[in-house]
Amino acid sequence: QKEVEQNSGPLSVPEGAIASLNCTYSDRGSQSFFWYRQYSGKSPELIMFIYSNGDKEDGRFTAQLNKASQYVSLLIRDSQPSDSATYLCAVTPNYGGSQGNLIFGKGTKLSVKP
Amino acid sequence: SAVISQKPSRDICQRGTSLTIQCQVDSQVTMMFWYRQQPGQSLTLIATANQGSEATYESGFVIDKFPISRPNLTFSTLTVSNMSPEDSSIYLCSVQVGRSTDTQYFGPGTRLTVL
């Protein structure tokens, strides 16, 4: 059973702080890693994707991937109340070239307090 | 990315009936998918909608319950058949744009309540 694990939270941080969201996955052969943001009652919105070990930065967001530890994280710098949402980690498992099946974690609920 | 629309946005249905959900994309896309998000849960892939052939279903989902059509590269439908309260969920279509990436973008979703 291929799994993606996330702490459900809620994770509460003060405005302006760094929010750190973590995700582990069980399939060592996983190829691609995604972070989605989902506001209550809305559909998931892609924030970032990362394919290679290391860090990838996009504005206030940094994704970090460590394939040896099967760990991917998302850092949000200068957190804003508008960042309050559920953050979903998703992984593309290694199906020998077959793409499409994103395995989602259950999400971490982030609350940024003004 | 792509602009994705779904119809209806929400519906309340009676047990035993069927509902067809439509997904329209503003450009031709290689792959389209249907997901379910049950209350308080994460997303689960139902099937891959294949253009011109039968959909590919994930374990636990069958064609008789969730028939899918994809007549062209911009449109797909998902039918939830013989509904029960357990089918109350948000149904989302997603698309993968281009063959060089497996990044998926989601439609706004259809919130289904079965009484």
Side-chain angles (χ1 to χ4, degrees):
Chain A
Q1 180 78 12
K2 295 174 173 53
E3 295 182 345
V4 176
E5 300 286 343
Q6 294 181 257
N7 188 323
S8 62
L11 173 66
S12 183
V13 300
E15 184 174 357
I18 296 175
S20 178
L21 304 161
N22 305 314
C23 173
T24 59
Y25 58 95
S26 64
D27 183 3
R28 184 170 289 279
S30 295
Q31 303 283 333
S32 310
F33 308 86
F34 305 87
W35 283 100
Y36 287 85
R37 177 175 61 197
Q38 187 173 29
Y39 292 113
S40 180
K42 301 295 185 182
S43 65
E45 171 192 8
L46 180 68
I47 298 176
M48 293 194 69
F49 57 88
I50 186 167
Y51 300 138
S52 304
N53 277 328
D55 295 359
K56 179 182 179 181
E57 186 174 319
D58 183 0
R60 296 187 296 114
F61 299 99
T62 298
Q64 299 175 318
L65 175 61
N66 184 326
K67 289 188 176 181
S69 300
Q70 296 176 232
Y71 176 92
V72 58
S73 66
L74 179 71
L75 300 178
I76 306 174
R77 290 181 299 281
D78 188 24
S79 295
Q80 301 297 310
S82 59
D83 294 326
S84 298
T86 296
Y87 289 80
L88 302 171
C89 173
V91 174
T92 301
N94 182 15
Y95 280 172
S98 175
Q99 299 295 328
N101 187 3
L102 284 178
I103 308 297
F104 280 85
K106 292 186 176 181
T108 297
K109 188 171 184 178
L110 172 66
S111 177
V112 181
K113 303 296 186 183
Chain B
S1 64
V3 177
I4 308 166
S5 60
Q6 284 186 235
K7 290 182 181 179
S9 59
R10 59 178 61 226
D11 207 342
I12 300 173
C13 301
Q14 295 297 319
R15 180 196 298 261
T17 63
S18 298
L19 176 72
T20 296
I21 302 168
Q22 298 179 4
C23 179
Q24 179 76 54
V25 190
D26 69 339
S27 58
Q28 293 185 344
V29 295
T30 53
M31 301 186 75
M32 296 179 73
F33 309 92
W34 287 98
Y35 287 81
R36 179 174 73 182
Q37 187 173 28
Q38 295 179 301
Q41 301 298 313
S42 193
L43 285 79
T44 302
L45 180 66
I46 297 172
T48 302
N50 301 309
Q51 194 267 327
S53 64
E54 192 172 286
T56 304
Y57 289 84
E58 297 300 309
S59 176
F61 298 97
V62 295
I63 187 171
D64 289 345
K65 176 67 176 177
F66 298 102
I68 288 171
S69 77
R70 189 172 175 197
N72 55 53
L73 293 176
T74 63
F75 184 79
S76 177
T77 67
L78 168 74
T79 299
V80 186
S81 303
N82 188 25
M83 289 183 285
S84 67
E86 293 71 34
D87 294 320
S88 296
S89 186
I90 299 173
Y91 292 86
L92 300 120
C93 69
S94 75
V95 302
Q96 182 175 308
V97 180
R99 292 190 179 276
S100 62
T101 174
D102 50 12
T103 303
Q104 292 185 29
Y105 299 91
F106 285 85
T110 296
R111 183 180 295 271
L112 171 62
T113 301
V114 184
L115 303 177

